Amino acid sequence: MAESAYVAGLGEIAFLEEYERSVLSKPQMVADAALKALAFAPPYERPALVGMLASQLVEAALRLTAVFEALDDRRFPVADSLRGPLPGAAAWVALAQLAGTAEPEGVVRRLALDEGAVESAAQLRGLPVPEWLPALIEATGAPDSLAMPAPIDQLAVTGTNGEGERVEVRLAAGEEATVAMADLVADLCSVARGLLGAYLRARRSMGQRV
């Protein structure tokens, strides 16, 4: 692939470095900003800020899934895979199931990464992922996605999934729940950056495709 084919004329490695540094950090930065704003927000602004947190949680989960899939399937350059559309809820569920059952060392071997990635794989296995996250991914990705306040300090996120079924997820909007959501966003971003960073270290040290 020509060097100029990547975003902003970046070469392959430069593109991956910027993806790791900025794209994979963005959900955490936005979630942190939303969480800070929630501390001083009037009641009518809180649903929008909680919805922003939820959307960043979805993006963080799917960016991590995209990184995992790109590293897991080296038939195509990793950078090419990461330029494609984000995976969906089914891909996230498959990753979550793998992370919950496979040993971190096995995940690292599967991805052909060095031992420096074991910490990230172990962090992935220990994440407190809520069972409603796949439904949230479906609801927020739907063309008719809508987030509205619900009783008892909740946010209802609704949408029609690919099978034509209506999906609704109720998110607690209190302080403890929103802090936990922001923490999970940060952890997902950290794992994604750790895995891609390990791949980049190998590329730089070996001077070849891995």
Side-chain angles (χ1 to χ4, degrees):
M1 173 172 288
E3 289 290 294
S4 60
Y6 292 98
V7 176
L10 296 172
E12 181 188 8
I13 295 298
F15 168 82
L16 289 172
E17 289 173 339
E18 287 300 327
Y19 190 96
E20 185 268 327
R21 184 166 39 235
S22 59
V23 176
L24 295 181
S25 297
K26 175 259 182 181
Q28 179 180 355
M29 292 187 289
V30 176
D32 286 347
L35 190 63
K36 291 177 182 176
L38 272 166
F40 305 101
Y44 68 89
E45 290 182 357
R46 291 185 60 82
L49 292 169
V50 176
M52 186 182 300
L53 270 175
S55 67
Q56 299 313 304
L57 175 58
V58 168
E59 180 175 348
L62 296 185
R63 291 287 177 195
L64 170 56
T65 307
V67 167
F68 184 90
E69 291 188 339
L71 295 175
D72 195 35
D73 185 359
R74 304 286 180 86
R75 293 175 300 170
F76 307 100
V78 171
D80 286 11
S81 297
L82 291 178
R83 287 196 310 162
L86 287 175
W92 162 255
V93 169
L95 173 57
Q97 290 175 341
L98 173 69
T101 56
E103 292 295 329
E105 294 80 4
V107 172
V108 169
R109 286 194 298 271
R110 172 172 170 161
L111 299 180
L113 300 175
D114 61 30
E115 292 183 358
V118 172
E119 182 178 351
S120 295
Q123 183 182 8
L124 173 60
R125 185 176 186 179
L127 290 181
V129 179
E131 61 181 16
W132 44 258
L133 183 50
L136 181 64
I137 292 172
E138 288 188 315
T140 58
D144 59 349
S145 179
L146 187 64
M148 297 284 289
I152 320 176
D153 201 18
Q154 292 181 323
L155 182 75
V157 183
T158 64
T160 304
N161 65 18
E163 286 71 44
E165 301 169 336
R166 194 69 177 167
V167 179
E168 179 174 317
V169 181
R170 294 287 185 98
L171 302 175
E175 180 180 358
E176 182 176 345
T178 52
V179 169
M181 198 184 307
D183 286 345
L184 181 55
V185 172
D187 288 339
L188 290 166
C189 292
S190 175
V191 173
R193 295 189 68 189
L195 295 178
L196 186 57
Y199 172 80
L200 281 166
R201 287 195 302 273
R203 288 291 300 272
R204 295 189 198 102
S205 64
M206 298 177 66
Q208 63 182 37
R209 294 183 184 275
V210 294

